[in-house]
């Protein structure tokens, strides 16, 4: 009997492994990544078994087939070709976004289906409690940064000013340093994407906005005037009783500072290697604001406030007006970048909001 038991156990274990592998394959080869509120299940392929139909029918998290965005062909070392702002072949096709917690950065969707996978060097997802971003090793900047803003995010914490490399970048990836911007030579600010003043509830929250993965080179007239004034307007929306879902980022190549026009900022290492940080031609932002409350997805309708701006990264642009002169539609930003914003909204609501040009 003992000999038979020894033979039966390996057979049972083998069958169990086969069953688990088959289930994993049939269910879309899922794996788990950390989300802002815990863990998120994602699929690398469309599931053969429709295991999520019941959840979707009951109003639960929805799925998408992923967005494929054209490549630009830049290289990490050597002078890069102009970056047109599009994430390239690193997009995972056939992925499924099962949704995110309410009030989290990606509650209404992931613009480029970014994932925390080191193979996605130009679309690498970085989830932080304060914001979420897609990082691009070709540009050494975020493709986009997303965050949720409400009254709980604003408090009495002072501006930390502790600009520093992001230690959460994968091993072997270059972490941009404060000094890499070489302001005296190139003239571009370390421009926050998620603003410092949007995260003042705690000292730690504010400090996290000073990670260099949250920065893009911005000409002072953009960063300190147009961009800053629009950030102030966003907080005024919150002070008026709203909550806001925001996504912002850079686009294109070639910005003008008081020092001249530059496509990139070279970063030369002692090892002899040189990296090139892209200087964007524009900085864009899209947002949806709704009255503060719960069940946000259920409450968003075509009367919600939707705003998009696309600001040239050029010296002197503030002389012709403030941020209102750069208003456009969310559809315009999607067409320019190739991204898909707020994809988890109902289609009829998304279509109306994204074609609207905000009137101040």
């Amino acid at each position: 009997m003992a000999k038979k038991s020894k033979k039966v156990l390996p057979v049972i274990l083998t069958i169990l492994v086969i069953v688990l592998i088959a289930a994993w394959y049939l269910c879309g080869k899922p794996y788990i990544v950390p989300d802002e509120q815990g863990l998120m299940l994602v699929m690398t392929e469309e599931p053969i078994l429709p295991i999520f139909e019941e959840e979707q029918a009951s109003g639960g998290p929805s799925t998408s087939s992923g967005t494929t965005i054209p490549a630009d062909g830049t290289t990490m070392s050597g002078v890069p070709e102009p970056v047109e702002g599009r994430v390239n072949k690193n997009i995972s096709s056939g992925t499924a976004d099962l949704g995110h917690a309410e009030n989290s950065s990606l509650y209404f969707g992931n613009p480029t289906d970014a994932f925390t996978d080191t193979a996605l060097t130009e679309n690498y997802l970085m989830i932080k409690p304060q914001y979420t971003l897609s990082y691009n090793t070709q540009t050494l900047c975020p493709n986009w940064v997303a965050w949720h803003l409400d009254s709980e995010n604003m408090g009495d914490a002072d501006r930390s000013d502790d600009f520093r490399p992001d230690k959460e970048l994968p091993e072997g990836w270059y972490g941009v340093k404060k000094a890499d911007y070489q302001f005296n030579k190139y003239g571009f600010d370390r421009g926050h994407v998620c603003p410092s003043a949007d995260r003042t509830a705690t000292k730690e929250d504010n400090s996290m906005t000073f990670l260099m993965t949250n920065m893009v080179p911005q000409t002072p007239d953009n960063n300190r005037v147009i961009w800053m004034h629009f950030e102030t307007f966003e907080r005024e929306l919150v002070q008026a009783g709203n909550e806001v879902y925001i996504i912002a980022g850079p686009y294109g190549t070639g910005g003008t500072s008081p020092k001249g026009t530059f496509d990139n900022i070279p970063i030369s290492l002692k090892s002899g290697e040189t990296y090139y940080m892209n200087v964007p031609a524009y900085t864009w932002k899209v947002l949806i604001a709704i009255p503060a409350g719960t069940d946000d997805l259920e409450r968003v309708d075509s009367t919600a406030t939707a705003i998009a701006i696309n600001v040239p990264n050029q010296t002197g642009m503030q002389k012709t007006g403030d941020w209102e002169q750069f208003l456009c539609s969310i559809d315009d930003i999607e067409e320019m970048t190739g991204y898909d914003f707020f994809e988890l909204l109902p289609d009829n609501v998304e279509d109306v909001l994204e074609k609207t040009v905000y009137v101040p």
Side-chain angles (χ1 to χ4, degrees), residues 36-37 101-108 128-132 145-154 194-195 197-200 205 234-235 238 242-248 286-296 299 342:
E36 292 171 303
Q37 304 296 325
E102 185 172 351
N103 295 342
S104 66
S105 304
L106 300 183
Y107 181 56
F108 291 146
K128 304 177 187 297
Q130 297 77 15
Y131 53 86
T132 296
V145 180
W147 67 102
H148 174 264
L149 180 63
D150 62 23
S151 59
E152 294 183 1
N153 300 129
M154 295 184 286
C194 176
D198 279 11
R199 293 292 182 260
T200 55
D205 282 350
E234 295 160 22
R235 291 187 287 275
V238 172
N242 296 293
E243 58 182 301
V244 191
Y245 289 87
I246 308 168
I247 311 170
V286 299
L287 66 82
I288 289 178
I290 56 176
T294 57
D295 298 324
D296 293 350
R299 296 187 301 114
F342 310 119

Side-chain angles (χ1 to χ4, degrees), residues 70-74 81-89 122:
D72 287 313
T74 56
E81 297 177 7
V83 175
E84 295 303 324
R86 301 177 185 272
V87 178
N88 66 15
K89 57 185 176 295
E122 297 170 48

Side-chain angles (χ1 to χ4, degrees), residues 21-100:
I21 292 174
W24 174 75
Y25 177 81
L26 293 172
C27 293
K29 301 180 181 179
Y31 67 99
I32 295 174
V33 298
D35 195 3
E36 292 171 303
Q37 304 296 325
L39 298 175
M40 178 180 70
L41 182 70
V42 297
M43 266 84 70
T44 56
E45 295 180 359
E46 286 291 331
I48 296 175
L49 294 178
I51 58 175
F52 297 106
E53 284 186 355
E54 181 177 351
E55 183 176 68
Q56 291 176 318
S58 63
S62 63
T63 63
S64 72
S65 60
T67 304
T68 301
I69 300 177
D72 287 313
T74 56
T75 57
M76 190 160 181
S77 59
V79 178
E81 297 177 7
V83 175
E84 295 303 324
R86 301 177 185 272
V87 178
N88 66 15
K89 57 185 176 295
N90 286 281
I91 291 292
S92 295
S93 60
T95 56
D97 190 337
L98 301 183
H100 305 262

Side-chain angles (χ1 to χ4, degrees), residues 269-289:
L269 307 184
K270 292 181 179 179
S271 63
E273 189 173 10
T274 300
Y275 293 90
Y276 295 87
M277 178 165 48
N278 185 67
V279 175
Y282 297 88
T283 53
W284 54 264
K285 181 175 288 187
V286 299
L287 66 82
I288 289 178

